[in-house]
Amino acid sequence: MNGSPSVIHDTPPFEKSIGSYFEKAAPIHVEIGTGKGGFIVELARRHPEINYIGVERYESVLYRACEKVDGMPEEDRLRNLLFLSCDARELPQIFRKDEVDRLYLNFSDPWPKKRHAKRRLTSAGFLDLYETFLKPDGILEFKTDNRALFDFSLEEIGAAPHWHLEAVTFNLHRDEELGRGNIMTEYERKFSALGTPINKLIARRCP
């Protein structure tokens, strides 16, 4: 992965804007916990007008995402997609104020024990962290099969002063509106095959 052209190899804090790493200026969308990259790779294919950053803490997992992109023929290479290996808590050292238009959280670690609640990526502390770089009116999309984590997320966002819930579904694949154009992650395909309902919410950062 060290030699991958799809990875930003700089370490936080970044001295230049994240947009300068791309070939052209465009809105920036970020997936936190990108895993093997299936979701964000397909997003980048469908939307060449958007610049995407896939953030993954574990290099061994991110390596699989890089393989998907680096193995493409040169004429098909996704020039609007880059990856970062870092902890989500480092993101304010990477993204500047109001630099990101949209965030995706897909099948995040539920951290089921109550004493670990602050580690959940939809906890109040992380919502405050996202406000440091997500634009006013910026969007957060969250999907999970874990109903307990989803209920927790609804409570945290509902209580957050600078966030507004725009849409909620407890069965994404049967929701005609929110399910339209849905891109499934690797985890999503696995759970859906087992008949597990997928929960999704869309929240907006209030100006």
Side-chain angles (χ1 to χ4, degrees):
M1 196 181 78
N2 289 337
S4 171
S6 303
V7 175
I8 298 175
H9 297 285
D10 293 347
T11 55
F14 282 12
E15 295 183 359
K16 59 182 183 178
S17 69
I18 201 73
S20 65
Y21 290 90
F22 291 95
E23 293 183 6
K24 64 179 183 179
I28 295 172
H29 293 188
V30 177
E31 182 185 20
I32 302 175
T34 205
K36 298 176 183 177
F39 175 83
I40 201 166
V41 167
E42 183 58 28
L43 264 182
R45 280 199 188 105
R46 294 187 189 184
H47 299 284
E49 76 282 6
I50 304 293
N51 285 335
Y52 291 95
I53 299 281
V55 177
E56 173 56 50
R57 181 179 180 181
Y58 300 105
E59 289 191 4
S60 59
V61 178
L62 189 57
Y63 177 81
R64 301 291 296 277
C66 292
E67 282 186 321
K68 287 183 171 68
V69 177
D70 296 344
M72 294 178 179
E74 179 61 25
E75 62 270 19
D76 297 327
R77 188 166 68 86
L78 297 173
R79 292 172 170 80
N80 63 328
L81 172 60
L82 292 171
F83 296 108
L84 269 171
S85 181
C86 70
D87 189 279
R89 286 167 289 194
E90 296 179 284
L91 294 180
Q93 301 180 60
I94 294 169
F95 300 120
R96 297 181 177 182
K97 178 177 170 57
D98 301 342
E99 192 169 30
V100 174
D101 292 80
R102 188 176 294 255
L103 289 174
Y104 296 98
L105 303 175
N106 293 316
F107 300 89
S108 308
D109 191 330
W111 292 104
K113 294 181 180 179
K114 184 173 287 189
R115 68 176 184 271
H116 294 153
K118 291 182 179 180
R119 300 184 186 183
R120 299 168 189 162
L121 292 181
T122 51
S123 66
F126 274 104
L127 294 175
D128 289 344
L129 182 148
Y130 304 147
E131 289 179 34
T132 66
F133 55 82
L134 186 65
K135 289 182 177 179
D137 282 328
I139 294 295
L140 169 67
E141 296 192 20
F142 173 58
K143 290 195 291 187
T144 182
D145 67 302
N146 189 300
R147 181 59 186 268
L149 175 61
F150 194 66
D151 290 342
F152 168 85
S153 304
L154 291 174
E155 291 177 5
E156 293 289 282
I157 292 172
H162 302 129
W163 291 86
H164 174 71
L165 278 168
E166 299 272 297
V168 175
T169 182
F170 297 96
N171 197 334
L172 176 61
H173 297 169
R174 293 190 178 183
D175 190 304
E176 290 187 7
E177 184 174 350
L178 290 184
R180 190 180 302 118
N182 178 55
I183 297 172
M184 288 200 285
T185 72
E186 289 89 352
Y187 277 115
E188 190 171 351
R189 292 183 187 280
K190 174 184 175 182
F191 294 131
S192 296
L194 296 173
T196 305
I198 305 301
N199 309 281
K200 180 175 181 177
L201 66 82
I202 299 174
R204 184 180 298 274
R205 182 194 164 195
C206 302

